[in-house]
Amino acid sequence: MANWQFIDSPAEWEQSLAEIPYAHALQGWEWGEFKSRWGWSATRLLWRRADRPVAAAQVLARPMPPTPWRFMYVTKGPALDYADEELVNCVFNDLEQYAAENNALFIKIDPDVPRQWGEPAADQPLDPVGQTVLHLLDRRGWRFSPEQIQFRNTVLIDVRPDPDELLARMKSKWRYNIRLAQRNDVEVNVGTAADLPIFYQMYAETAHRDGFLIRPEAYYMDVWQRFIAVDQAELLLSSVDGEVVAGMLLFFLGSSAWYMYGASTEQHRKLMPNHLLQWTAICRVKARGCNQYDMWGAPDVFDDRDGMWGVYRFKRGFGGEVRQGIGAYDYPVRPRLYRTFTQTLPQARSLLRKLKGQA
């Protein structure tokens, strides 16, 4: 049996997290500190077995006015070995109790546990660990969340092979586009915090072009600057004749890296700056000693009906493997109130969107 304790030491948390399977950058100390500056509180729970860290859950919480309840969220966690059914049961039980004892209406988790590998197919096998976890969640009363905040599916690249093999795994057109960008003197450089305003301008342009909502600039500057400052993120910028035309932010934790934010302009797109940008990212992730590059996001529906289909096709060309995740699950501490909340939330958001459109 594993026992948990509160952790208030950044060094102890980061060191423990690096030893635990299924750890994610959004479970890192700095992410909790960042969210605590934007309306959340962060509490870190660490489970030990024989004095060895075996599970971790950074629980974010925020009030739900005008109710007395709180919403709790273990972003991209908890981290633990999901093949260890006894440990999974222990951690879920402790999270349920913690939520009940701390005035939560419900608690949400969304660990990167695979449900299936590859694109959906009739004969596709189910991941055995994922299926065990799903059965356990069902038995314990967890429910598939109507609000999937993070991406459920993604594309993963194993960056351990040598560069020639990594290139060989790509689609031929992608290799051609990388070489085209190199021949046309497209440059990719590591940016600094001073370059973040340029990156945000591109990010806002990308959001307008692709039709997704973004937060205020101060929100992004807060997280981007801090993660770069502690060497847990890296800004890459692609330029043509000195003009920045594309960029991305990589996040790092342990042996994994994530393509968390990407942006581009409409300039010089025929020179394929985004292909060279991704290839540079793969090389830098590998050079940093990581094993896995998570390209952060794939469609829920794997055809052109999904708004992410074009972005997904771009990512898939780099030779990665699709991981379909189990998604986010909620544990309703107060089931009847939870049902009311989840039924009225979509209606309230629809009304807010209409009011904003009239403003």
Side-chain angles (χ1 to χ4, degrees):
M1 180 67 71
N3 298 311
W4 68 270
Q5 63 181 129
F6 292 113
I7 300 297
D8 56 13
S9 164
E12 183 179 3
W13 180 257
E14 294 292 324
Q15 182 178 350
S16 298
L17 202 61
E19 300 177 25
I20 299 172
Y22 292 92
H24 195 284
L26 301 191
Q27 280 290 289
W29 185 276
E30 290 298 337
W31 185 258
E33 292 300 285
F34 157 64
K35 296 300 284 187
S36 71
R37 297 190 290 273
W38 293 87
W40 298 80
S41 62
T43 304
R44 288 91 177 179
L45 313 182
L46 182 69
W47 285 258
R48 295 183 182 276
R49 183 189 280 162
D51 292 329
R52 184 175 65 87
V54 291
Q58 178 167 253
V59 183
L60 303 179
R62 68 183 307 164
M64 300 174 64
T67 77
W69 315 120
R70 296 200 296 166
F71 164 47
M72 291 185 175
Y73 184 21
V74 186
T75 316
K76 283 297 179 183
L80 66 143
D81 180 1
Y82 281 89
D84 186 337
E85 191 170 349
E86 179 186 7
L87 179 61
V88 176
N89 258 310
C90 173
V91 171
F92 285 178
N93 181 72
D94 290 343
L95 286 176
E96 293 160 13
Q97 289 188 10
Y98 178 81
E101 292 168 1
N102 287 275
N103 225 34
L105 176 60
F106 67 99
I107 184 170
K108 181 189 299 290
I109 62 172
D110 55 7
D112 276 337
V113 175
R115 181 178 178 273
Q116 292 176 302
W117 293 92
E119 293 185 3
D123 58 348
Q124 185 182 35
L126 302 176
D127 184 90
V129 173
Q131 291 311 295
T132 298
V133 173
L134 287 172
H135 290 318
L136 191 152
L137 287 166
D138 183 62
R139 290 200 306 270
R140 299 194 66 91
W142 292 72
R143 303 178 185 181
F144 184 74
S145 177
E147 187 173 29
Q148 298 287 311
I149 298 176
Q150 307 297 335
F151 291 115
R152 179 173 37 170
N153 304 324
T154 192
V155 177
L156 302 176
I157 298 178
D158 180 353
V159 297
R160 289 173 293 184
D162 63 53
D164 287 341
E165 184 176 342
L166 289 171
L167 283 167
R169 292 180 178 182
M170 296 181 190
K171 292 184 178 179
S172 59
K173 183 64 174 177
W174 270 242
R175 292 194 298 271
Y176 174 83
N177 287 342
I178 291 168
R179 297 184 183 115
L180 175 66
Q182 292 170 330
R183 288 197 303 269
N184 284 279
D185 297 324
V186 176
E187 294 185 355
V188 178
N189 296 296
V190 179
T192 68
D195 298 307
L196 288 173
I198 296 173
F199 181 68
Y200 179 79
Q201 290 174 10
M202 288 195 298
Y203 193 63
E205 179 181 335
T206 304
H208 177 75
R209 183 177 66 240
D210 294 347
F212 63 86
L213 297 175
I214 63 172
R215 297 174 184 265
E217 182 176 359
Y219 178 90
Y220 295 107
M221 288 299 173
D222 187 358
V223 62
W224 294 346
Q225 289 173 347
R226 183 57 189 166
F227 271 74
I228 289 174
V230 298
D231 195 33
Q232 292 181 8
E234 189 170 87
L235 175 65
L236 298 179
L237 297 172
S238 184
S239 60
V240 177
D241 295 330
E243 179 186 3
V244 176
V245 295
M248 65 154 64
L249 264 163
L250 293 169
F251 276 44
F252 301 96
L253 179 72
S255 61
S256 296
W258 291 263
Y259 168 35
M260 292 282 284
Y261 301 92
S264 64
T265 71
E266 291 288 350
Q267 304 302 312
H268 303 292
R269 295 177 74 87
K270 292 183 178 180
L271 300 182
M272 305 300 165
N274 287 294
H275 286 77
L276 184 58
L277 186 67
Q278 285 291 343
W279 172 238
T280 304
I282 291 169
C283 293
R284 293 195 67 82
V285 166
K286 179 177 177 61
R288 194 173 173 115
C290 295
N291 297 329
Q292 178 178 274
Y293 177 39
D294 187 334
M295 299 194 80
W296 194 248
D300 288 329
V301 179
F302 283 81
D303 61 39
D304 56 12
R305 290 174 295 167
D306 194 290
M308 282 196 67
W309 183 248
V311 175
Y312 164 68
R313 287 185 63 196
F314 171 74
K315 295 176 180 178
R316 193 72 174 93
F318 288 95
E321 182 178 21
V322 173
R323 181 186 65 207
Q324 299 178 53
I326 63 170
Y329 275 75
D330 299 338
Y331 180 76
V333 179
R334 294 163 176 84
R336 281 189 289 184
L337 288 173
Y338 171 82
R339 280 195 299 273
T340 301
F341 173 78
T342 54
Q343 289 168 1
T344 59
L345 180 62
Q347 299 171 7
R349 286 187 169 169
S350 177
L351 178 60
L352 283 174
R353 283 194 292 268
K354 290 180 180 178
L355 292 174
K356 286 181 180 178
Q358 296 170 358

